[in-house]
Amino acid sequence: MLHHMTSEPEQQIGVGTQDAFQRLWTPHRMAYIQGENKPTGPGADDGCPFCSIPAKSDEDGLIVRRGEQVYAVLNLYPYNGGHLMVVPYRHVADYTDLTGPETAELGELTKQAMTALRAASGAHGFNIGMNQGTVAGAGIAAHLHQHIVPRWGGDTNFMPVVGHTKVLPQLLADTREMLAEAWPRP
């Protein structure tokens, strides 16, 4: 239960017009909005985070599984808890530019991610897809990445619908550890 919850408006300095709303601040989202960790250009050497993540430890890079051609990593700005991305190591923008082995492993790690998310968090369903190009909504268009977003019945409630805020119940490091442990072994 929330403490200090009243039906009376509360004076909140610096938040605009006084009203009856309580506020849940998510300042970490401002980094994404302002473009933190976004490349300065289309090349692999232009600050592409998907090119630099594999050089980090799994814990520091939030990598859940490494394959030969692709890797699975937690989204730093998730839509839902457990939001993963499967990313080729090679800096390539378009799905049609993937090699056969890259395409096959991207599909296999997607299946494994679904299995791990079901085992670790009881996901009821998934949104799976990739945005090809900036015009299609790709935040980092120069490096292909496929999103795997777990969904649960009732996960769309008043917070994202009315409040435009996601409440994530777990730290990313804890989510990474949980999914790495639940990842299926070959």
Side-chain angles (χ1 to χ4, degrees):
M1 175 154 246
L2 297 174
H3 299 289
H4 311 295
M5 190 97 171
T6 68
S7 59
E8 296 298 316
E10 181 180 317
Q11 179 64 33
Q12 298 180 8
I13 306 300
V15 297
T17 307
Q18 181 176 337
D19 56 31
F21 288 100
Q22 298 291 323
R23 290 182 171 64
L24 176 64
W25 299 105
T26 56
H28 63 280
R29 294 290 300 162
M30 189 54 72
Y32 178 76
I33 292 166
Q34 293 178 335
E36 185 176 298
N37 297 322
K38 288 203 177 176
T40 57
D45 296 328
D46 292 329
C48 177
F50 297 134
C51 288
S52 64
I53 288 171
K56 299 177 181 181
S57 71
D58 290 355
E59 292 76 14
D60 289 343
L62 298 175
I63 296 171
V64 179
R65 174 66 72 203
R66 292 176 190 260
E68 291 181 25
Q69 306 290 321
V70 302
Y71 64 96
V73 62
L74 284 177
N75 189 322
L76 192 55
Y77 309 104
Y79 298 127
N80 262 355
H83 178 171
L84 290 167
M85 296 176 293
V86 178
V87 185
Y89 291 110
R90 189 167 62 96
H91 188 84
V92 59
D94 198 88
Y95 184 74
T96 61
D97 292 333
L98 291 177
T99 66
E102 288 170 330
T103 303
E105 194 172 56
L106 187 136
E108 185 58 35
L109 256 65
T110 298
K111 288 171 42 177
Q112 292 175 10
M114 292 172 66
T115 299
L117 285 161
R118 283 187 180 120
S121 68
H124 297 153
F126 300 91
N127 292 119
I128 297 174
M130 55 183 82
N131 302 323
Q132 292 282 267
T134 304
V135 71
I140 300 175
H143 197 133
L144 176 110
H145 53 284
Q146 177 161 273
H147 295 266
I148 303 155
V149 182
R151 302 298 305 267
W152 298 268
D155 69 2
T156 302
N157 57 33
F158 77 96
M159 289 301 289
V161 174
V162 175
H164 301 281
T165 301
K166 278 286 187 178
V167 178
L168 300 172
Q170 191 174 45
L171 295 172
L172 290 175
D174 295 338
T175 302
R176 193 215 67 78
E177 185 177 337
M178 177 184 73
L179 289 174
E181 289 174 8
W183 204 273
R185 303 292 183 236

